Amino acid sequence: MHVHNYEKLWLGASLLLIVGFISTIVYGAAGAGITMVNDEGGQVNPKELGNTSGFDDPGVTKVGPNEYEVHIVALQFAFQPGTVELPANSTVTFYVTSRDVVHGFEVAGTNANTMVIPGEVSQITVEFDEPGEYGIVCHEYCGAGHHSMAAELIVREPSNFTMQDDTQTPTSGNETTNATATPTGGESA
Amino acid sequence: MSTPGETAGETVESAREMLPDNSFLIQYPHVSRVVRSLFLTAFVAFGIGAFMGVLQALHRTGIARIVESADYYTFLTLHGVLLAIVFTIFFLAGVFTWANTRSLDRPPVSKRFTWFWVVTMSAGTAMAGIAMLAGLLPSIDISADVLFTFYAPLQAHPIFYIGLAVFVIGTWLAGIDWFRQFLAWRREHPDERIPLQSFMVLTTMIMWFIATLGVAVEVVVFLIPWSLGIMPAPNPLLTRTLFWFFGHPIVYFWLMPAYLLWYTVLPKIAGGRLFSDPLARVVFVLFLLLSTPVGIHHQYLDPGIAEGFKFIAMTNTMFLLLPSLLTAFTVVASIEHGARQRGGTGYFGWLKALPWRDPAFTGMALAGLMFAAGGFSGMVNAGMNINYLVHNTLWVPGHFHLTVGTAVALSFMAGAYWLVPRITGRKLYSRPIGLFQVVLWFVGMVFMSAAMHRGGLAGIPRRTAEPQYPQVAFETVAGSVGSLRLQLAFGGVLLFVSALLFLMNVGLTAMNNKPARGLDSALPPALSGPEQSPTVLDNLKLWALIAVVLVILAYSLPLYSIVQGAGLYPAGQEASPAVIAPLLEVIA
Amino acid sequence: MTATEAEAEADSAVVGDDVYTDGTLVRDPDIEESLSQDEYDPKGTLALLLVYFLILALMWTYMYFVEFLGNGATVVG
């Protein structure tokens, strides 16, 4: 087959680009340790979240010296809880699921970003090194009020951080009605 | 507008006799009529879709909110479906009908069959369109606010899904029509190479047959029975995966007709010859093989899919860059050939020798330039872990407004300036307006798309009526969010004006009483002709088989594991909104 | 220049049947030559695409290592 030498050169350059792109991604995974959200979160029944460990009482749980778990329920049109507070220099695993339709979960200004699909649990572990205030937005169209679906994430200096109240701990005797609390993230201008 | 040397009494009818015998309209008046009717539907959809687009640009930036924010999503659904499905596919059906007939030099086998698929596609479009428009009228209990990406549990009225199914069946019939036309040609030419344009049509349609299996299963097996209340809600992740099985190759279904124009029409307009027919065939074969086993790259951030499957989809996607990069070389070398034949010199000086005053040329050239930029943002989208940065942000519509919104749409508009005189026999109403229009589209898209990409990097989500939240402060690298909004809206307005100018120019051409001239439908032969390539390239059965095997390899394990995870009909899934009362409950 | 003037100017210079979209191609027959496959090396194409290659490589590096890896908290598990 006749191919001009210049085009052969370009073919080589194109393959170099492709291999370069794939290598960069592999570096990101193996070198920088970036992990894709995957099937580790398992499945839940979206109508039974009130009886599902973790999602029955969404919020922050301390599980180790600098390790926290955050359970978040996405629903039309809010996140529960509407405010998440965490200390800096912590490793945080988010477990996010939906009570109704497909939602998105994006901590704006960071790479913490995942789809939220009813029946599936999105499990992502993120390290927060610096204090700061972030917005969490739903980036997947989820119905007529989609644009009002947001929450906030506050990363505090460790010295300023205390677990907000006892209901956030697994040992709490609080009712599980929180799972159906009024949306709090909603009032957009 | 009268031009010197033209007699006032000259009409299209008398001018038809002046058209050369080898002009398409004289040879194939009936096929010309089919193409005209397909283009008409495409352009009506384009006009409505473009209007929805400018409303959105003004709405989400907060500059003018004419509609309720809840209705924004109805407009967004209309914008996506009318432009990405109706405009593109009706137009490409016209281009393919023209190209297949022209290159095989014979009409389709049966006029009735041809009109049958035109009517089928139109009927499906009308049904889906009614369902979407009814969403604006609260008094009618029909809606389809599910956007272009229609997966469960968001639910549309059954008429929307049925309309889509009918439409897709229409496209299948169209493909069968083009294959019958080819097989009839083959019987008379048993030993010849497939003419290039027909080769492009046929490989694209094989790709489309394979790709649409995903959406056919999604719609017919799951969504229609569910929306009718016969079956429970399907596994949302499964419907997403089936949608994207189709949702990525549809991108190449839009792009291939633009490539067909770039490979076969653009060299002629530039005064050159196609640089390499063999590589053009290789490129279309690569697209047939690689377009479908990549859809999971739209699901990099989906839970429930193992990272390994995502990585495989990524490597396939990256290799899918290859045919587009090869296209860049072959197409640019073809127009450079034209420039050099017309006195162009130097490494870059030859660019001045191109026919920049021709809107058909300039439109396609600018479309190609935009595709180079859109190619880059697509490379970022294709990168697996960097997807965390851009997924579902404004970056993504920024990207596809460069690709489908410019590389495809602008090539189609430029192609229409060249093709419409050939299927009507009427002179283009105004070349200067056409030229201004294609440049305006380019400029509008520079503003809008650049603002979208930058907004996306700041984390601003896509598909959102009011991306202004009390809890969230988006931070841009340079410039303020306010200035990005202004640029986005300004670009959107320019694009809408450009769309109106295009529709006006084409509409006035259709009514123009001046005859088109010089419509020789022959295309110059390639510099490196098909005889310089192995005949195995024309073995369509072989490529179709390999394509199917690749799809099975790429999808069987992910689909198996998704169904293993939550099942086909997981407990606790519920339609939103419940469009009609579930039939099972009504009976009970 | 109005549309009419542009057309008039273009029409007066029409050469041949192989024409612009609207039948008004401007062509100078003196500089026109036929370039065969052996006589033509697309050096301009190669030059343009090498520039594109450099842009892609630089932009990719910037996007990945500055915009992405520099974008704060990242998913590591």
Side-chain angles (χ1 to χ4, degrees):
Chain A
M1 188 168 126
H2 175 83
V3 180
H4 194 282
N5 280 339
Y6 289 180
E7 191 144 20
K8 284 180 189 155
L9 179 63
W10 177 244
L11 177 67
S14 300
L15 287 170
L16 188 66
L17 268 182
I18 291 169
V19 171
F21 291 157
I22 296 175
S23 308
T24 320
I25 302 298
V26 170
Y27 162 77
I34 302 163
T35 311
M36 299 312 292
V37 58
N38 55 26
D39 53 356
E40 281 173 16
Q43 282 84 33
V44 289
N45 180 335
K47 287 288 164 288
E48 296 289 330
L49 295 181
N51 299 322
T52 306
S53 171
F55 295 110
D56 54 353
D57 185 14
V60 182
T61 314
K62 186 168 183 175
V63 292
N66 287 311
E67 288 178 31
Y68 296 82
E69 285 183 356
V70 185
H71 284 80
I72 293 180
V73 175
L75 62 148
Q76 290 171 324
F77 299 99
F79 293 100
Q80 289 180 338
T83 304
V84 175
E85 293 194 26
L86 289 164
N89 295 320
S90 58
T91 301
V92 183
T93 302
F94 290 93
Y95 297 87
V96 194
T97 194
S98 165
R99 214 172 69 184
D100 38 49
V101 299
V102 182
H103 295 281
F105 175 88
E106 176 205 344
V107 183
T110 76
N111 296 325
N113 185 346
T114 182
M115 295 300 298
V116 183
I117 299 176
E120 308 279 343
V121 178
S122 306
Q123 179 189 333
I124 52 173
T125 300
V126 182
E127 287 170 346
F128 288 101
D129 298 335
E130 302 285 328
E133 293 190 15
Y134 300 95
I136 298 173
V137 295
C138 170
H139 59 43
E140 177 77 13
Y141 167 66
C142 56
H146 166 53
H147 45 272
S148 61
M149 184 166 168
E152 60 188 335
L153 171 69
I154 301 166
V155 181
R156 297 196 183 283
E157 290 283 1
S159 54
N160 287 343
F161 179 79
T162 47
M163 292 294 287
Q164 285 149 318
D165 60 65
D166 288 330
T167 64
Q168 302 287 357
T169 63
T171 53
S172 117
N174 207 13
E175 294 292 321
T176 56
T177 48
N178 277 356
T180 53
T182 318
T184 50
E187 281 73 36
S188 170
Chain B
M1 299 219 324
S2 80
T3 41
E6 219 169 66
T7 58
E10 200 174 64
T11 67
V12 171
E13 296 314 315
S14 67
R16 278 199 185 184
E17 295 161 16
M18 292 165 53
L19 290 175
D21 290 340
N22 65 351
S23 59
F24 192 80
L25 183 64
I26 299 294
Q27 287 180 303
Y28 303 106
H30 180 260
V31 179
S32 297
R33 211 172 120 225
V34 172
V35 178
R36 287 200 298 272
S37 89
L38 289 165
F39 280 9
L40 178 65
T41 309
F43 295 151
V44 170
F46 179 67
I48 303 171
F51 178 61
M52 302 297 155
V54 72
L55 286 183
Q56 284 154 234
L58 295 173
H59 191 108
R60 66 168 292 142
T61 53
I63 286 170
R65 288 188 172 150
I66 298 160
V67 298
E68 295 283 321
S69 283
D71 285 338
Y72 176 92
Y73 303 103
T74 309
F75 286 92
L76 184 53
T77 307
L78 278 161
H79 178 73
V81 173
L82 287 178
L83 292 182
I85 295 188
V86 183
F87 164 61
T88 50
I89 297 182
F90 271 86
F91 190 86
L92 76 88
V95 170
F96 281 5
T97 303
W98 164 77
N100 213 37
T101 303
R102 199 209 65 79
S103 66
L104 298 173
D105 201 16
R106 59 155 298 135
V109 176
S110 154
K111 287 182 184 178
R112 283 178 63 187
F113 188 78
T114 301
W115 284 113
F116 181 62
W117 63 255
V118 174
V119 169
T120 306
M121 278 173 64
S122 309
T125 303
M127 289 166 79
I130 287 168
M132 289 184 287
L133 283 169
L136 295 171
L137 305 168
S139 55
I140 303 175
D141 197 17
I142 294 178
S143 73
D145 300 335
V146 290
L147 307 195
F148 162 66
T149 50
F150 39 87
Y151 19 68
L154 286 176
Q155 194 177 56
H157 192 274
I159 195 176
F160 176 76
Y161 299 124
I162 294 170
L164 287 174
V166 170
F167 174 81
V168 169
I169 290 168
T171 64
W172 288 347
L173 295 174
I176 290 170
D177 198 18
W178 297 322
F179 264 95
R180 289 174 72 195
Q181 193 177 0
F182 162 70
L183 292 173
W185 173 89
R186 182 51 98 197
R187 280 192 288 277
E188 292 164 16
H189 305 83
D191 301 319
E192 281 182 38
R193 298 299 296 262
I194 305 173
L196 183 60
Q197 284 187 323
S198 182
F199 181 87
M200 293 171 163
V201 171
L202 300 178
T203 45
T204 305
M205 290 316 292
I206 297 172
M207 183 271 282
W208 179 245
F209 288 137
I210 296 171
T212 42
L213 286 179
V215 78
V217 171
E218 186 203 1
V219 169
V220 175
V221 177
F222 293 107
L223 299 185
I224 292 177
W226 167 59
S227 66
L228 289 169
I230 301 166
M231 293 297 287
N235 180 341
L237 181 59
L238 179 62
T239 60
R240 278 175 68 77
T241 308
L242 290 171
F243 178 85
W244 289 117
F245 178 104
F246 144 90
H248 195 73
I250 194 180
V251 165
Y252 296 100
F253 196 47
W254 302 326
L255 198 60
M256 290 305 97
Y259 276 21
L260 183 148
L261 295 171
W262 293 357
Y263 273 108
T264 62
V265 173
L266 190 57
K268 177 186 167 98
I269 299 175
R273 291 162 63 184
L274 173 60
F275 186 63
S276 172
D277 173 295
L279 277 171
R281 286 174 204 255
V282 168
V283 161
F284 274 73
V285 167
L286 284 173
F287 278 119
L288 164 58
L289 297 183
L290 289 174
S291 288
T292 312
V294 298
I296 288 175
H297 76 228
H298 289 258
Q299 299 175 283
Y300 284 150
L301 299 197
D302 277 17
I305 300 178
E307 184 163 1
F309 297 141
K310 295 175 179 178
F311 188 81
I312 291 168
M314 180 189 73
T315 50
N316 290 350
T317 309
M318 289 297 185
F319 279 98
L320 197 43
L321 293 172
L322 193 60
S324 281
L325 291 168
L326 288 177
T327 295
F329 191 98
T330 307
V331 170
V332 176
S334 305
I335 61 176
E336 184 190 347
H337 180 253
R340 300 231 180 259
Q341 289 201 139
R342 300 172 60 205
T345 53
Y347 280 101
F348 301 104
W350 57 274
L351 289 164
K352 288 181 292 190
L354 290 167
W356 293 108
R357 292 170 59 185
D358 185 341
F361 175 82
T362 301
M364 286 194 218
L366 292 177
L369 181 60
M370 274 289 190
F371 195 57
F376 174 72
S377 58
M379 291 163 194
V380 171
N381 294 341
M384 184 173 69
N385 39 37
I386 196 176
N387 206 241
Y388 279 124
L389 175 65
V390 295
H391 179 78
N392 264 0
T393 68
L394 206 44
W395 168 284
V396 176
H399 159 73
F400 65 67
H401 279 84
L402 294 181
T403 53
V404 67
T406 305
V408 173
L410 188 54
S411 292
F412 284 4
M413 287 186 263
Y417 286 139
W418 188 82
L419 209 45
V420 168
R422 285 171 161 72
I423 53 162
T424 59
R426 294 162 196 267
K427 185 173 184 240
L428 181 65
Y429 173 73
S430 168
R431 182 174 56 79
I433 291 176
L435 190 55
F436 176 71
Q437 182 265 318
V438 296
V439 173
L440 188 62
W441 188 276
F442 180 84
V443 173
M445 198 57 86
V446 167
F447 276 101
M448 189 172 90
S449 176
M452 284 177 157
H453 279 99
R454 292 169 58 203
L457 291 180
I460 300 175
R462 67 187 284 201
R463 291 177 154 181
T464 301
E466 299 174 20
Q468 295 90 24
Y469 307 87
Q471 303 96 325
V472 190
F474 296 109
E475 285 173 25
T476 56
V477 177
S480 68
V481 171
S483 70
L484 288 184
R485 282 189 199 130
L486 277 178
Q487 288 169 36
L488 196 163
F490 177 64
V493 170
L494 294 188
L495 288 164
F496 182 60
V497 172
S498 174
L500 289 182
L501 286 174
F502 168 75
L503 291 173
M504 185 200 80
N505 208 358
V506 167
L508 289 172
T509 300
M511 290 184 280
N512 198 350
N513 274 330
K514 290 183 196 161
R517 281 176 295 160
L519 299 185
D520 183 351
S521 71
L523 297 174
L527 280 171
S528 169
E531 70 284 353
Q532 297 184 2
S533 68
T535 50
V536 67
L537 280 176
D538 285 12
N539 190 341
L540 298 178
K541 281 181 192 151
L542 173 68
W543 303 124
L545 186 71
I546 298 176
V548 169
V549 169
L550 287 177
V551 168
I552 292 171
L553 287 178
Y555 267 104
S556 50
L557 283 176
L559 285 173
Y560 176 77
S561 86
I562 288 166
V563 175
Q564 278 294 302
L568 292 173
Y569 301 100
Q573 300 288 346
E574 212 166 81
S576 171
V579 174
I580 53 175
L583 199 62
L584 295 173
E585 287 177 21
V586 175
I587 296 166
Chain C
M1 186 161 64
T2 69
T4 315
E5 281 163 353
E7 285 202 353
E9 177 198 286
D11 266 7
S12 64
V14 167
V15 178
D17 277 345
D18 200 12
V19 284
Y20 266 176
T21 319
D22 62 343
T24 55
L25 176 63
V26 191
R27 269 205 184 160
D28 185 344
D30 294 336
I31 56 169
E32 194 148 351
E33 52 173 328
S34 180
L35 267 181
S36 73
Q37 186 181 359
D38 297 335
E39 294 164 332
Y40 170 55
D41 288 320
K43 60 175 185 176
T45 300
L46 189 64
L48 276 182
L49 288 179
L50 290 179
V51 170
Y52 183 49
F53 180 91
L54 289 178
I55 293 173
L56 286 179
L58 285 174
M59 286 288 287
W60 174 265
T61 308
Y62 171 77
M63 282 299 299
Y64 200 91
F65 293 95
V66 180
E67 284 282 349
F68 175 50
L69 294 183
N71 196 33
T74 284
V75 178
V76 292

